[in-house]
Amino acid sequence: MLPSLLLCGLAAPAIAQPPPPLPDQVRDGSVALQARRQGRLLPLPEIERRVVPTMRDAQYIGFDLEMPSGIYTLKFLKKGAVIWVDVDGRTGQILGRTGR
Protein backbone atom coordinates (compact mmCIF):
# COMPACT_ATOMS: atom_id res chain seq x y z
CA MET A 1 0.00 0.00 0.00
CA LEU A 2 2.79 2.43 0.86
CA PRO A 3 4.48 2.07 -2.56
CA SER A 4 1.15 2.85 -4.27
CA LEU A 5 0.73 6.02 -2.23
CA LEU A 6 4.26 7.10 -3.04
CA LEU A 7 3.67 6.57 -6.75
CA CYS A 8 0.44 8.57 -6.61
CA GLY A 9 2.25 11.35 -4.77
CA LEU A 10 4.95 11.49 -7.43
CA ALA A 11 2.48 11.48 -10.31
CA ALA A 12 0.21 14.21 -8.90
CA PRO A 13 2.55 17.18 -9.51
CA ALA A 14 3.05 16.12 -13.13
CA ILE A 15 -0.70 15.92 -13.67
CA ALA A 16 -1.40 19.30 -12.05
CA GLN A 17 1.01 21.25 -14.29
CA PRO A 18 -0.26 22.65 -17.58
CA PRO A 19 1.28 21.25 -20.74
CA PRO A 20 4.10 23.24 -22.34
CA PRO A 21 3.08 25.56 -25.19
CA LEU A 22 2.96 24.09 -28.65
CA PRO A 23 5.80 25.10 -30.98
CA ASP A 24 3.42 27.19 -33.16
CA GLN A 25 2.26 29.16 -30.12
CA VAL A 26 5.83 29.91 -29.07
CA ARG A 27 6.86 30.86 -32.60
CA ASP A 28 3.81 33.07 -33.20
CA GLY A 29 4.28 34.86 -29.88
CA SER A 30 7.94 35.43 -30.62
CA VAL A 31 7.20 36.66 -34.13
CA ALA A 32 4.54 39.06 -32.83
CA LEU A 33 6.83 40.42 -30.12
CA GLN A 34 9.67 40.87 -32.59
CA ALA A 35 7.38 42.64 -35.09
CA ARG A 36 6.11 44.94 -32.33
CA ARG A 37 9.63 45.80 -31.17
CA GLN A 38 10.72 46.53 -34.75
CA GLY A 39 7.76 48.85 -35.28
CA ARG A 40 6.17 46.63 -37.92
CA LEU A 41 3.10 45.98 -35.77
CA LEU A 42 1.06 48.50 -33.80
CA PRO A 43 0.59 47.75 -30.10
CA LEU A 44 -2.77 46.37 -29.03
CA PRO A 45 -3.69 49.48 -26.96
CA GLU A 46 -3.30 51.62 -30.10
CA ILE A 47 -5.53 49.27 -32.11
CA GLU A 48 -8.11 49.30 -29.30
CA ARG A 49 -8.07 53.13 -29.13
CA ARG A 50 -8.91 53.26 -32.82
CA VAL A 51 -11.58 50.56 -32.96
CA VAL A 52 -13.41 50.27 -29.64
CA PRO A 53 -15.00 53.77 -29.81
CA THR A 54 -16.47 52.93 -33.22
CA MET A 55 -18.42 50.01 -31.75
CA ARG A 56 -21.16 51.90 -29.93
CA ASP A 57 -23.41 49.87 -27.64
CA ALA A 58 -21.13 46.82 -27.97
CA GLN A 59 -19.07 45.24 -25.22
CA TYR A 60 -15.41 44.58 -26.07
CA ILE A 61 -14.61 41.00 -25.08
CA GLY A 62 -11.10 40.38 -26.40
CA PHE A 63 -8.85 39.90 -29.40
CA ASP A 64 -6.81 37.46 -31.44
CA LEU A 65 -3.64 38.23 -33.36
CA GLU A 66 -2.96 36.21 -36.48
CA MET A 67 0.70 35.88 -37.36
CA PRO A 68 2.47 36.26 -39.69
CA SER A 69 -0.26 38.34 -41.37
CA GLY A 70 -0.40 40.76 -38.42
CA ILE A 71 -4.20 40.94 -38.45
CA TYR A 72 -5.88 41.68 -35.15
CA THR A 73 -9.42 40.38 -34.74
CA LEU A 74 -11.27 42.29 -32.04
CA LYS A 75 -14.36 40.61 -30.62
CA PHE A 76 -17.45 42.42 -29.40
CA LEU A 77 -20.82 41.40 -27.98
CA LYS A 78 -23.93 43.36 -28.94
CA LYS A 79 -27.48 42.27 -28.10
CA GLY A 80 -26.38 38.65 -27.75
CA ALA A 81 -24.53 38.57 -31.09
CA VAL A 82 -20.76 38.30 -31.49
CA ILE A 83 -19.13 40.78 -33.87
CA TRP A 84 -15.59 40.35 -35.16
CA VAL A 85 -13.64 43.33 -36.49
CA ASP A 86 -10.48 42.59 -38.50
CA VAL A 87 -7.78 45.26 -38.29
CA ASP A 88 -4.47 45.54 -40.14
CA GLY A 89 -1.88 45.48 -37.35
CA ARG A 90 0.59 47.49 -39.41
CA THR A 91 -1.67 50.43 -40.23
CA GLY A 92 -4.60 50.20 -37.80
CA GLN A 93 -7.03 50.24 -40.74
CA ILE A 94 -10.27 48.28 -40.29
CA LEU A 95 -10.33 45.57 -42.95
CA GLY A 96 -13.77 44.15 -42.36
CA ARG A 97 -16.48 43.24 -39.92
CA THR A 98 -18.44 40.03 -39.41
CA GLY A 99 -21.70 39.81 -37.49
CA ARG A 100 -24.44 42.31 -36.81
Side-chain angles (χ1 to χ4, degrees), residues 5 13 28 38 42 54-55 68 70 86-87 93:
L5 291 174
D28 286 353
Q38 293 173 348
L42 292 171
T54 69
M55 298 297 295
D86 292 329
V87 182
Q93 179 180 356

Side-chain angles (χ1 to χ4, degrees), residues 25-82:
Q25 292 170 323
V26 172
R27 185 178 68 241
D28 286 353
S30 298
V31 169
L33 181 59
Q34 183 179 16
R36 171 63 197 107
R37 287 182 176 163
Q38 293 173 348
R40 294 184 290 119
L41 191 64
L42 292 171
L44 177 62
E46 177 64 25
I47 297 293
E48 291 170 334
R49 272 193 296 277
R50 294 176 185 207
V51 177
V52 173
T54 69
M55 298 297 295
R56 293 182 184 91
D57 301 324
Q59 178 186 1
Y60 177 52
I61 55 176
F63 77 99
D64 287 326
L65 174 60
E66 180 67 34
M67 290 304 291
S69 68
I71 295 178
Y72 286 95
T73 300
L74 279 65
K75 299 175 186 179
F76 296 87
L77 186 62
K78 184 174 182 178
K79 297 180 182 175
V82 178

